[in-house]
Amino acid sequence: MLTLALAAPPISACARALLDVVRANNNAATAAASARAFVVDGTTVGRVLPKSAAALGRYAIFDVSEEAVTLRGDAGATLEERSKAVTEVICDLRAEGSVPMLDGWRDEAFAVRTSFFAPPSLVVERAAAGLFGAPAYGVFVNCYTEGADGRPASMWLARRAKSKPTWPGLLDCLAAGGMAAGEMPLGAIRKEAAEEAGVPPRLAGAIQPAGGGFYTGVGETG
């Protein structure tokens, strides 16, 4: 038997630093062990951490056990009815100031769903997504300048405003944003590029998808 040992390609210092950032954000493995299923209409659509379960358990529309946080059937038979009932709870928690993540209220509709193309089980305020541990979707655009040989020579970086509720003051890509309920990726990123970076429609229309990734993170806001 002939065994070949293939050396891994060298990783640059910059790539290592970027991987460290990715690993730091993909940090939910320990917390996931204590999370409970969030169940709506018989389907698990998220994972609820213990503090969030305790907050939701104060309201009659939720049944909370050691295994799951379940939205009761009498909260509503339709998407609109369920969403209204849950929104009332979220607004109450926001008013009392007991859930830090709700301080970042955005007035943006967020679809709670099992996957990107699945129909929503709930539509709630975007800032409350972490309360239910529901998958969130975002779009990011990177921009580079070309060198004399036509290859990428340098990359544009932005710095987030210090007033941002998430990652204030840190470096960022050219433009990015979470996707609201009903948005599709290309439309969302072209809108964000115009709003955040002043990219004119002629250039924004040329933006094309280049790849995707996912991570599961836990922070102070959920």
Side-chain angles (χ1 to χ4, degrees):
M1 177 182 293
L2 177 63
T3 302
L4 297 178
L6 300 178
I11 300 177
S12 69
C14 178
R16 287 185 185 278
L18 291 173
L19 282 172
D20 287 342
V21 172
V22 171
R23 292 185 181 113
N25 282 279
N26 191 29
N27 62 359
T30 302
S34 64
R36 310 173 199 195
F38 177 50
V39 181
V40 178
D41 197 25
T43 300
T44 298
V45 295
R47 304 288 298 178
V48 182
L49 294 173
K51 286 186 178 179
S52 297
L56 297 173
R58 296 162 39 203
Y59 297 88
I61 64 170
F62 295 103
D63 284 333
V64 177
S65 69
E66 291 299 318
E67 293 76 32
V69 175
T70 302
L71 182 65
R72 292 171 55 91
D74 53 16
T78 67
L79 171 65
E80 291 75 17
E81 290 172 347
R82 292 193 298 267
S83 300
K84 181 176 183 295
V86 172
T87 295
E88 289 175 354
V89 169
I90 295 169
C91 289
D92 189 60
L93 291 171
R94 181 194 183 197
E96 69 180 26
S98 60
V99 180
M101 74 182 73
L102 299 181
D103 293 341
W105 199 271
R106 299 169 183 262
D107 287 319
E108 294 181 18
F110 176 86
V112 177
R113 48 192 169 173
T114 56
S115 66
F116 184 78
F117 291 105
S121 298
L122 291 172
V123 176
V124 299
E125 156 62 29
R126 177 181 166 187
L131 190 65
F132 304 105
Y137 301 91
V139 286
F140 303 81
V141 60
N142 294 303
C143 178
Y144 62 86
T145 59
E146 291 183 347
D149 60 358
R151 294 168 61 85
S154 57
M155 193 168 185
W156 285 92
L157 292 177
R159 186 174 294 278
R160 296 173 67 82
K162 292 185 178 180
S163 58
K164 282 281 191 181
T166 52
W167 304 294
L170 299 184
L171 294 177
D172 205 349
C173 52
L174 180 73
M179 293 177 60
E183 280 193 311
M184 295 298 287
L186 275 178
I189 195 55
R190 288 169 180 166
K191 180 194 74 173
E192 296 290 349
E195 292 178 353
E196 296 188 353
V199 177
R202 178 181 61 84
L203 290 179
I207 294 173
Q208 295 296 324
F214 67 91
Y215 67 92
T216 305
V218 176
E220 292 181 1
T221 59

